[in-house]
Amino acid sequence: MNGVQQKRMYAPRSRFSTLRITTWVVVALAILSVCPGARGQNLLWHRIFGNQTIIDAVQGNAAVDAGNNFYFVGSSQGNVMGLPLSGALEGQAQPNNIFVSKFSPDGDFLWYKLVGASQTNAESTGAAAALTPDGSRLIVVGISKGSWPEYNATNAGSSAGDILVSSWFPNNGSISWLKLVGTPADGDDAQAVVVSNDDFIYVTGRLTSGTVTVFPSAQAVLSSFDPYLMKMSTTGTIQWIKTFGTSVAIAENGYGVAVSIDGTRIFAVGRIAGTSGGLGGQYDAVVVMYNADGTQAWLQRLGGAGVDQGRGVAVSPDGAWVYAVGVTAGTLFNGVAANSAQINAAAIDGFIVKLDASPSASSRINVTKIIGSTYNDALRSVLIGANPNAIYACGYFDGSNTTSA
C-alpha cells in the first residue's frame, strides 16, 4: 500500500472537493500523481457526479486496493447518478444517506451503492473507509440516526446519532455486517477508520454524554462530548473503547487514526479543551498513543492561545515516529508563531508536526512546520510514501503565496 500511496493522492476536503453550480452541489473527485522530489503534481483524472437538485459530498480519505481501484464514501440527499435507493431505503424520503462508490485506476465507474436506516427521515452519513489487509472487505464508518433491522442493528437512543461501522464486499458493494455503537444521547459519530495488519479495526470520533450502551463493559463519557478510540475485530466484535477527553463541557472530537505495521501502536488525533492544559486556547490539538490492549501510552497537547485541532495522522514504517497535521490559529507549541511569516496575522494556518512515538521519550516534539497563506488554511490528511523520508500532506488554501514558518 505504501507504493500505491506514493503514486496516488486524494484530497477530499481540498478546494475542489465540492463544486457549487448555481443552487446545487455535486461531488468532485480528483486523483493526483505525486512525484517524489518534484515541486508539484499532475492531475491524472477527475470525476463529477451528483443529483442536480440536492447536496452531495465525499467524506474522508479514499481507500485504494492492490489493483489501484479507489473507494469513496460520503453522503447524498437523493439518488446520485440516477441510481435508485437500495435496501430499506427504497420508496422513502431520507434527509441524508450513505453512498459508497468504486472507481478503476483510470477513473471508470465500477459500482455505486446508496443505503440508509429503515425509518423515514432517519439521517445516515458515510465518513471514511479502509480496506482489510487482504482486500476482501471494505470497512465503512459514519453516523446513523436510525436502526437497521436487516442487520439487527438498533439505535442506542430514540433518533439519536450513533457510530456506524460496516463491512462491505469490494467486488460488488454488498454489505456483510453492520453495527451501531453509542450513548443514549444524540451526537455520537465516527470520523476515521484504519485496519491493522493483524485484522483489527480502529475507529475514532466523538461520544456524547452518558455511557456506551452497546458494549460488554460500559465506557463512561467524561463531559458533554469526548473523543474516543475503539477497537473491533473484522467480524464486528468490540474489543475495547477508550475516551481521551477532558472534564470540560465542550465539543471535543477525534478526527484521525493510524496504526503501526506490527499493530502494537495505535495513534489518534483530534481536539480537546485547552483551558485545563495550560496552553490557554479554547481547543488544543491532541495526539494520543494506545497500545493494542487499550492502555494509553502517552498524550501530547499541541496548541496556544487560539483554536487548534489535529486532523490527520500517519506513523513511520518502523513505528518510531508519528506525523500529525491540522489547523492552528495563533502561537503554537514550542514558541513557534503560527502566522509570523504571514501578511495577515489573524489567518488560520495548517501545521505538520513530527513526534517521537516512544513512551519514554523525554522530548516528544521533533519537528514543526507551519504552512499557510494570507487567509484561512488547513491541512487535513498526511501519509508516508514508500521512501519513509517522503511525507505528503494535503488540505486547502484560501489565499495565495503560501509559506512555511
Side-chain angles (χ1 to χ4, degrees), residues 157 163 243 296 346 369:
I163 301 160
T243 58
Q296 186 182 112
K369 285 290 183 182

Side-chain angles (χ1 to χ4, degrees), residues 95-392:
N96 247 341
N97 305 302
I98 296 170
F99 80 75
V100 183
S101 57
K102 180 178 181 179
F103 288 82
S104 75
D106 295 323
D108 297 325
F109 171 75
L110 299 178
W111 55 255
Y112 169 90
K113 301 292 181 179
L114 186 69
V115 297
S118 60
Q119 297 93 331
T120 300
N121 294 322
E123 182 175 2
S124 301
T125 302
L131 285 156
T132 56
D134 63 2
S136 65
R137 296 292 188 274
L138 178 71
I139 307 302
V140 175
V141 302
I143 310 163
S144 178
K145 290 191 174 183
S147 297
W148 302 64
E150 63 270 43
Y151 302 106
N152 295 317
T154 303
N155 191 253
S158 178
S159 300
D162 279 346
I163 301 160
L164 180 147
V165 184
S166 57
S167 176
W168 299 57
F169 293 103
N171 60 329
N172 60 13
S174 60
I175 297 176
S176 172
W177 55 260
L178 185 148
K179 304 287 184 181
L180 296 178
V181 182
T183 67
D186 190 16
D188 304 327
D189 68 24
Q191 293 285 339
V193 61
V194 69
V195 184
S196 64
N197 285 330
D198 54 353
D199 279 327
F200 285 102
I201 301 165
Y202 293 94
V203 183
T204 192
R206 177 183 67 197
L207 287 170
T208 50
S209 58
T211 57
V212 181
T213 55
V214 190
F215 188 55
S217 59
Q219 171 67 53
V221 180
L222 295 177
S223 63
S224 298
F225 299 98
D226 275 351
Y228 70 87
L229 181 65
M230 176 171 65
K231 180 179 181 179
M232 300 180 75
S233 71
T234 50
T235 58
T237 301
I238 297 175
Q239 308 298 303
W240 46 257
I241 300 177
K242 303 294 180 179
T243 58
F244 53 95
T246 72
S247 59
V248 179
I250 196 170
E252 302 174 321
N253 291 75
Y255 289 118
V257 63
V259 61
S260 61
I261 289 177
D262 63 5
T264 61
R265 295 181 172 187
I266 305 93
F267 303 89
V269 296
R271 68 180 188 184
I272 58 177
T275 53
S276 63
L279 295 179
Q282 182 184 18
Y283 288 109
D284 290 335
V286 61
V287 185
V288 62
M289 175 183 144
Y290 283 86
N291 299 313
D293 63 0
T295 57
Q296 186 182 112
W298 53 262
L299 183 149
Q300 177 68 55
R301 288 174 174 267
L302 311 169
V307 174
D308 311 294
Q309 55 184 328
R311 301 294 302 202
V313 63
V315 57
S316 63
D318 60 4
W321 301 99
V322 58
Y323 299 84
V325 298
V327 182
T328 182
T331 302
L332 201 60
F333 38 85
N334 284 359
V336 177
N339 300 295
S340 60
Q342 309 303 319
I343 297 173
N344 184 349
I348 298 172
D349 290 335
F351 74 81
I352 181 168
V353 60
K354 179 182 179 181
L355 303 102
D356 189 335
S358 171
S360 59
S362 58
S363 179
R364 193 163 305 283
I365 299 172
N366 183 266
V367 176
T368 301
K369 285 290 183 182
I370 307 299
I371 302 174
S373 70
T374 56
Y375 296 97
N376 294 339
D377 314 299
L379 292 178
R380 295 300 187 101
S381 60
V382 59
L383 57 86
I384 300 173
N387 177 352
N389 292 320
I391 313 301
Y392 303 98

